[in-house]
């Protein structure tokens, strides 16, 4: 089991460029999440998907879109990157009965 | 609205000394509380949750509903405990299985 995987690990973008962060899990979890981690602010929820076919906004959704492609995959898209989106992005999934979230290794994104 | 407060951004203790990482929360109802840990170059992972009432790696945390606190404690710190620690809560207000995190405390254990 690979658990939760994320690609890419690092990315540098110019302001206005777009990109998609990929996340996949092989644990048959129903719920998946995207967070951003910023110094002094902890982890903040961007979007989540409680089950395949559904997505909902989290605490900081502006500037992002998501797609729950199937049960395994949950992607995060930046349509027009801004320097304020420089951050480390984490994907997570959860097995509901235990409520323990499993995290991916993160994507470090820099927007110049 | 829910709130999780970790008042210390940085905490340094000597090896063998007791350590306490503070966490206070604000929530209408009965939340579930967690401690997550991120060691250097590793993924964020669950350390413990209040409903389990267990000790993991020598750490314990008791939910105090009167003081709305969930402090993490260990009687004798080890160098391998150096990491970033996040307190988090989950409940119906946060959404299905959603976690609301505090800002984190970086613990450094000095040899």
């Amino acid at each position: 089991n690979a658990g939760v995987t994320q690609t890419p690990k690092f990315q540098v973008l110019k302001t206005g460029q777009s990109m998609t962060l990929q996340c996949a899990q092989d644990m048959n979890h129903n719920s998946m999440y995207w967070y951003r981690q910023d110094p002094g602010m902890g982890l903040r929820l961007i979007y989540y998907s409680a089950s395949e076919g559904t997505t909902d906004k989290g605490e900081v959704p502006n500037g992002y879109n998501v797609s729950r492609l199937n049960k395994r995959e949950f992607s995060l898209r930046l349509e027009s990157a801004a320097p304020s989106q420089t951050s480390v992005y984490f994907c997570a999934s959860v097995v509901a009965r235990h409520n323990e979230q499993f995290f991916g290794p993160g994507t470090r994104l820099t927007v110049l | 609205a829910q709130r999780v407060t970790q008042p210390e951004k940085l905490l340094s203790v000597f090896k063998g000394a007791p350590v306490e990482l503070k966490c206070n929360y604000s929530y209408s109802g009965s939340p579930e509380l967690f401690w997550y840990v991120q060691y250097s170059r590793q993924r964020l992972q669950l350390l413990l949750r209040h409903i389990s009432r267990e000790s993991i790696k020598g750490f314990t945390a008791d939910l105090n509903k009167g003081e709305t606190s969930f402090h993490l404690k260990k009687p004798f710190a080890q160098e391998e405990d150096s990491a970033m620690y996040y307190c988090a809560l989950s409940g119906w207000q946060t959404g299905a299985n959603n976690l609301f995190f505090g800002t984190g405390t970086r613990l450094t254990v000095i040899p």
Side-chain angles (χ1 to χ4, degrees):
Chain A
N1 275 358
V4 181
T5 57
Q6 291 182 235
T7 55
K9 290 194 169 122
F10 301 94
Q11 184 70 50
V12 178
L13 293 177
K14 294 181 180 178
T15 297
Q17 287 185 316
S18 63
M19 80 160 295
T20 299
L21 282 65
Q22 306 287 352
C23 173
Q25 53 91 9
D26 60 3
M27 296 174 284
N28 202 34
H29 291 171
N30 285 324
S31 300
M32 297 184 73
Y33 308 81
W34 276 106
Y35 295 90
R36 60 178 290 172
Q37 182 186 42
D38 300 291
M41 305 197 74
L43 278 81
R44 294 179 292 168
L45 183 64
I46 305 170
Y47 270 92
Y48 66 99
S49 171
S51 61
E52 185 180 353
T54 69
T55 60
D56 285 286
K57 296 178 181 179
E59 187 184 354
V60 288
N62 290 346
Y64 306 96
N65 285 301
V66 290
S67 295
R68 183 72 183 269
L69 304 169
N70 46 56
K71 192 171 186 178
R72 290 188 63 248
E73 299 172 288
F74 188 39
S75 62
L76 178 72
R77 182 159 178 85
L78 287 71
E79 290 290 352
S80 179
S84 60
Q85 294 178 305
T86 293
S87 186
V88 181
Y89 291 85
F90 289 99
C91 178
S93 67
V94 67
V95 52
R97 66 182 182 278
H98 293 299
N99 207 14
E100 173 183 356
Q101 292 196 11
F102 290 84
F103 284 81
T107 295
R108 186 173 295 274
L109 175 68
T110 301
V111 183
L112 302 175
Chain B
Q2 64 275 355
R3 181 190 295 269
V4 176
T5 302
Q6 294 180 252
E8 304 133 332
K9 286 187 178 178
L10 303 171
L11 182 64
S12 295
V13 300
F14 285 100
K15 178 182 174 181
V19 61
E20 181 180 50
L21 288 82
K22 291 183 168 51
C23 173
N24 289 89
Y25 67 90
S26 173
Y27 187 83
S28 298
S30 297
E32 189 171 358
L33 273 296
F34 305 82
W35 278 99
Y36 277 78
V37 60
Q38 188 174 26
Y39 301 103
S40 179
R41 298 188 201 86
Q42 293 188 28
R43 303 179 185 210
L44 193 66
Q45 59 187 285
L46 177 67
L47 181 61
L48 53 79
R49 74 184 93 206
H50 87 270
I51 61 171
S52 299
R53 303 183 65 83
E54 58 191 345
S55 174
I56 303 292
K57 298 184 179 183
F59 284 98
T60 59
D62 290 320
L63 180 62
N64 186 322
K65 292 185 179 180
E67 296 183 358
T68 59
S69 68
F70 188 57
H71 302 327
L72 184 68
K73 300 177 184 179
K74 186 170 182 177
F76 307 103
Q78 303 299 315
E79 290 179 63
E80 56 265 30
D81 297 329
S82 294
M84 191 74 174
Y85 291 81
Y86 290 99
C87 182
L89 69 77
S90 178
W92 67 269
Q93 286 183 16
T94 64
N97 299 124
N98 289 5
L99 288 173
F100 193 85
F101 286 86
T103 53
T105 297
R106 182 169 297 283
L107 174 66
T108 301
V109 180
I110 304 165

